[in-house]
Amino acid sequence: MLTFLIAICILLALLCLVLLEMIISQNRAIKKINQTFTDVEKGYGNQRFRIRSINPNLVLLSSKLNHFMENYQAALEQGRHSEQIRKQMVSNISHDLRTPLSSLLGYTEALKNNHDLSERQKEDYLTIIAKRGAELTVLINDFFELVKLEAEEEIFHNETIVLNELLKEEVLKFYHDFTEAEIEPQINIPDEPVFIQGEVQSVRRILSNLLSNALRYGKDGKKVGVDLWKENGKAWISVWDEGKGIKEADLPYIFERLYTGEQSRNPSLQGSGLGLTIAKSLVEKHHGEIFAQSQPFVKTAFTFYIPAKS
């Protein structure tokens, strides 16, 4: 009987030790969790919860907390990226505003104070002032249009559009620019009507932005093309050039807001970087997609589709 009681006491003691170890282990795990959260609060967002416990609930909690931290880290990275884009936006817009404004002020001051200017010089100065003013207007309009698109304040008025005719009209608007750049555009538009459902002005803006981009960066290739075709219920348009092209490393980012700087196809022709972003937003508003491909001095193409209407 005494032996039995001793055995029971030993078992109870061992059980107490096991329970004590479990309590200590759980307390240690909870302390680790608290310490990790403290480190995160201090700005160390790459922390992970490393908990070893025989308690399955604590192991599950650790796994879920690590999943949370992965999402938190991704959000931090996205926030940093957005902040960089915002700073770049402010820098680029400031630069693009400053350049034409300085030119405007300089030539206006010359017209005002230099009384020795010939009539021809005055006319040239006024032409430059008008050109710089137009550049400012385009930049400001682009900026506010992008703000409206991102805020989803843009109201679309859908209607049936004959894409063939709209594309011809937009190409014709660039006739003077093509001639001035000594470019004969290669237009491939089918005779059979291609219909889409959308907003006329928005589709015009997509086409105008892509044509402007091809002229701006591809004129040194002396060839710009526009293709339209219908395939698998989609209306496809490709605007291409044979200019300097885009580096392969830059292609994934070419539609990002204000992605210019060193990545620009031609730094001397650097713009605000808003045109392609606006084109992408408008294409997506029409339930389509846009893609960029580039082989320098062979073919750089911006291709998009919008669902065709039967």
Side-chain angles (χ1 to χ4, degrees):
M1 185 68 178
L2 181 61
T3 304
F4 177 75
L5 290 173
I6 292 172
I8 292 294
C9 290
I10 292 172
L11 285 174
L12 288 172
L14 289 173
L15 181 61
C16 288
L17 287 173
V18 170
L19 290 173
L20 182 61
E21 176 60 27
M22 288 179 62
I23 292 170
I24 292 172
S25 175
Q26 289 185 22
N27 285 337
R28 191 182 299 120
I30 291 170
K31 284 182 180 179
K32 282 187 178 180
I33 291 174
N34 286 331
Q35 183 59 50
T36 303
F37 272 119
T38 300
D39 292 339
V40 170
E41 287 176 353
K42 291 178 179 179
Y44 303 106
N46 60 344
Q47 297 295 312
R48 293 295 181 270
F49 297 90
R50 298 173 179 85
I51 299 173
R52 295 177 182 175
S53 174
I54 60 174
N55 188 328
N57 290 325
L58 279 176
V59 175
L60 179 62
L61 176 63
S62 173
S63 175
K64 289 186 175 182
L65 286 173
N66 281 330
H67 181 66
F68 166 79
M69 288 307 302
E70 288 171 5
N71 292 336
Y72 174 71
Q73 186 68 23
L76 282 179
E77 291 299 324
Q78 181 62 37
R80 293 190 190 101
H81 180 68
S82 297
E83 180 64 14
Q84 289 175 351
I85 291 293
R86 186 193 65 79
K87 289 179 179 178
Q88 187 178 358
M89 178 181 71
V90 172
S91 175
N92 286 11
I93 293 250
S94 298
H95 173 269
D96 287 345
L97 285 172
R98 190 183 302 115
T99 301
L101 272 174
S102 297
S103 183
L104 274 170
L105 292 172
Y107 283 103
T108 302
E109 192 71 18
L111 281 172
K112 180 181 177 182
N113 297 325
N114 192 341
H115 303 291
D116 297 327
L117 292 173
S118 66
E119 290 301 316
R120 177 60 184 273
Q121 287 176 315
K122 291 178 181 179
E123 186 177 335
D124 289 343
Y125 284 13
L126 287 171
T127 300
I128 294 171
I129 289 171
K131 186 177 180 180
R132 296 293 178 262
E135 289 174 2
L136 275 173
T137 301
V138 169
L139 176 62
I140 292 169
N141 287 342
D142 280 352
F143 178 71
F144 281 109
E145 181 165 353
L146 183 61
V147 169
K148 286 192 294 182
L149 283 169
E150 292 187 342
E152 297 185 347
E153 293 178 359
E154 195 76 14
I155 299 174
F156 285 86
H157 304 283
N158 283 335
E159 57 185 289
T160 300
I161 300 171
V162 184
L163 198 51
N164 315 54
E165 300 304 320
L166 193 65
L167 183 53
K168 289 176 185 177
E169 291 173 9
E170 288 306 306
V171 171
L172 190 60
K173 290 178 182 178
F174 286 86
Y175 177 79
H176 174 74
D177 300 287
F178 287 130
T179 303
E180 194 175 63
E182 299 179 349
I183 293 173
E184 185 174 345
Q186 298 189 15
I187 311 300
N188 181 20
I189 300 176
D191 295 327
E192 182 182 354
V194 177
F195 298 99
I196 62 170
Q197 192 76 17
E199 185 183 60
V200 172
Q201 292 307 317
S202 295
V203 178
R204 285 191 189 278
R205 188 58 185 272
I206 296 167
L207 299 173
S208 176
N209 285 6
L210 295 182
L211 285 165
S212 296
N213 187 73
L215 273 166
R216 186 182 185 92
Y217 297 113
K219 63 174 61 178
D220 49 347
K222 296 300 178 184
K223 194 175 289 185
V224 172
V226 180
D227 301 324
L228 167 64
W229 71 98
K230 184 178 176 181
E231 184 180 356
N232 297 327
K234 298 173 181 177
W236 291 84
I237 290 180
S238 182
V239 179
W240 54 270
D241 64 75
E242 295 185 356
K244 186 177 180 180
I246 306 163
K247 293 179 181 178
E248 186 177 352
D250 293 335
L251 280 173
Y253 311 102
I254 200 68
F255 293 106
E256 282 193 12
R257 188 192 330 149
L258 306 164
Y259 188 77
T260 55
E262 293 181 358
Q263 306 91 335
S264 175
R265 288 204 270 166
N266 187 341
S268 66
L269 298 173
Q270 208 172 85
S272 65
L274 295 173
L276 291 177
T277 305
I278 290 172
K280 181 177 186 293
S281 295
L282 290 173
V283 166
E284 291 174 350
K285 289 280 187 181
H286 285 80
H287 309 291
E289 288 186 82
I290 188 167
F291 315 90
Q293 295 174 304
S294 183
Q295 189 174 352
F297 296 110
V298 176
K299 189 175 185 180
T300 295
F302 287 88
T303 306
F304 71 94
Y305 74 80
I306 292 175
K309 183 180 179 182
S310 303

